[in-house]
Amino acid sequence: MLSAIYLLIFSAIILIAHSFSVKEPALKLSSRNKEELEDKVWQAEKRAGKHFLLTLPLLPLNRLILPAKIRRDLENKLFSAEIKIFPEDFLGIKELLILALFFVAFSITNRVSFLTVAIPVFAGVILPDLYLHNKLQNKKKLILRAFPDTVDLIGLCVGAGLDFMQALRWVIERSRPGPLTREFSRVIQEVNMGLSRQEALKNMAKRVALPEILSFVNALVHAERMGAPINQVLSVISEEARRQKFERAERIALKAPVKMLFPLIFFILPVIGIIVGGPVLLQFLRSDMPKPF
């Protein structure tokens, strides 16, 4: 009976993890040759990671239940978040986390119920996705923080006479390592592998998924097509990115009073009331009150 319950739980794990697999719309290329070249570039730059020992028994099953499109999208997300594991391992972590949480809940309650199954399944599926989402959001914040200054440096190098790719290499070599410099390094790597500069920049915009990076790529592509000076385009982009950075800081500052309202009402004001009114209340209780006749 217990083995049948475990089998049902494991089946639910597979179905729910498969349904929660994250999908992203892929950037459509114009020809089949470009798709084949992009696949070769992806295989060339793919890191040689190691599988987790605990997820090794689940890898054959996870390869069967992960479609190629979903696996590719999840692999792109893991690579963008700089999490050096494979999609099969990511799904296996979900499954092992669900089983571990189920055994913990079963050992506490000593019975199988809807809550002891639903809560581990929900937590095991959601927590890894939340971790992946948090990593991506932190990366985007670091990219937005370094983007205006990096574009300024690239524009100065281009204005000094360097080509755009040479300026990109110069900035990468002399800048502090970060997510933005790593993305630019991947652009250079894709160009060296045979992709055009436009396609490499579009791939970067697809990976990062930020409006500022997308505007940056579109402006460079249009400047290259129209023959406009790239240093002037980069100067305009850096000014716009810096203005948007200040606007984001102002929005965050305006949200601070609203965020402080909840802790102020439920944590700070009660403590102030206890400190101010506590001695008065104690003195009132200890005072000799007149006795009724």
Side-chain angles (χ1 to χ4, degrees):
M1 181 64 183
L2 191 58
S3 60
I5 294 174
Y6 291 162
L7 182 61
L8 291 175
I9 294 173
F10 191 74
S11 302
I13 291 169
I14 295 173
L15 293 175
I16 296 177
H18 180 257
S19 63
F20 272 85
S21 298
V22 185
K23 297 183 180 180
E24 278 187 354
L27 182 65
K28 294 184 179 179
L29 299 178
S30 58
S31 66
R32 183 177 180 84
N33 293 331
K34 288 183 179 180
E35 292 179 356
E36 293 177 356
L37 182 59
E38 188 180 16
D39 290 336
K40 291 180 181 179
V41 171
W42 172 258
Q43 294 298 330
E45 66 185 9
K46 183 179 176 182
R47 70 254 177 252
K50 292 183 179 180
H51 293 289
F52 287 116
L53 294 178
L54 295 177
T55 59
L56 285 178
L58 302 173
L59 292 183
L61 181 62
N62 291 339
R63 290 193 183 100
L64 290 176
I65 65 176
L66 272 179
K69 176 62 171 60
I70 296 178
R71 186 188 186 281
R72 177 65 180 268
D73 293 337
L74 184 57
E75 193 171 22
N76 287 334
K77 276 187 168 292
L78 293 172
F79 188 82
S80 298
E82 300 178 359
I83 302 176
K84 296 183 178 181
I85 61 175
F86 295 97
E88 295 85 1
D89 291 294
F90 188 75
L91 184 57
I93 290 173
K94 288 185 176 183
E95 296 164 354
L96 293 177
L97 183 59
I98 291 172
L99 291 177
L101 293 175
F102 170 75
F103 282 119
V104 170
F106 180 76
S107 62
I108 294 174
T109 60
N110 201 18
R111 63 188 180 90
V112 178
S113 63
F114 176 76
L115 291 179
T116 57
V117 175
I119 293 177
V121 169
F122 180 78
V125 171
I126 294 298
L127 290 179
D129 288 337
L130 290 178
Y131 177 75
L132 177 60
H133 178 75
N134 187 40
K135 290 280 290 185
L136 290 172
Q137 292 300 317
N138 290 336
K139 179 181 178 181
K140 290 180 180 180
K141 290 178 182 179
L142 293 176
I143 288 176
L144 290 176
R145 186 180 302 172
F147 180 67
D149 296 333
T150 304
V151 174
D152 276 338
L153 290 175
I154 296 174
L156 290 174
C157 293
V158 172
L162 293 179
D163 180 65
F164 177 77
M165 299 304 295
Q166 294 176 349
L168 206 60
R169 291 190 182 93
W170 190 91
V171 171
I172 291 171
E173 291 174 356
R174 289 162 177 81
S175 298
R176 181 179 299 178
L180 185 59
T181 57
R182 286 191 288 269
E183 289 294 335
F184 282 139
S185 299
R186 190 177 177 186
V187 169
I188 294 175
Q189 186 179 3
E190 290 184 352
V191 171
N192 293 335
M193 291 295 297
L195 283 179
S196 65
R197 188 172 71 185
Q198 296 181 4
E199 293 298 331
L201 290 172
K202 289 180 180 178
N203 290 339
M204 182 187 71
K206 182 182 68 174
R207 289 191 305 269
V208 178
L210 282 173
E212 290 81 359
I213 303 298
L214 183 60
S215 301
F216 168 74
V217 172
N218 290 334
L220 289 179
V221 171
H222 287 300
E224 185 176 356
R225 290 177 180 175
M226 301 298 294
I230 297 181
N231 58 339
Q232 296 180 5
V233 175
L234 293 175
S235 176
V236 173
I237 293 173
S238 64
E239 291 178 1
E240 181 66 18
R242 190 166 283 106
R243 183 185 63 81
Q244 293 178 357
K245 183 179 179 180
F246 285 129
E247 289 180 354
R248 285 194 300 271
E250 289 178 354
R251 288 196 297 268
I252 293 173
L254 292 175
K255 292 178 182 178
V258 179
K259 293 181 179 179
M260 286 295 296
L261 188 61
F262 178 81
L264 179 65
I265 294 175
F266 293 97
F267 295 101
I268 299 177
L269 289 181
V271 174
I272 294 176
I274 293 173
I275 294 175
V276 174
V280 177
L281 181 61
L282 291 176
Q283 186 177 3
F284 176 76
L285 293 176
R286 291 176 182 175
S287 62
D288 296 332
M289 298 179 65
K291 297 181 180 180
F293 293 100

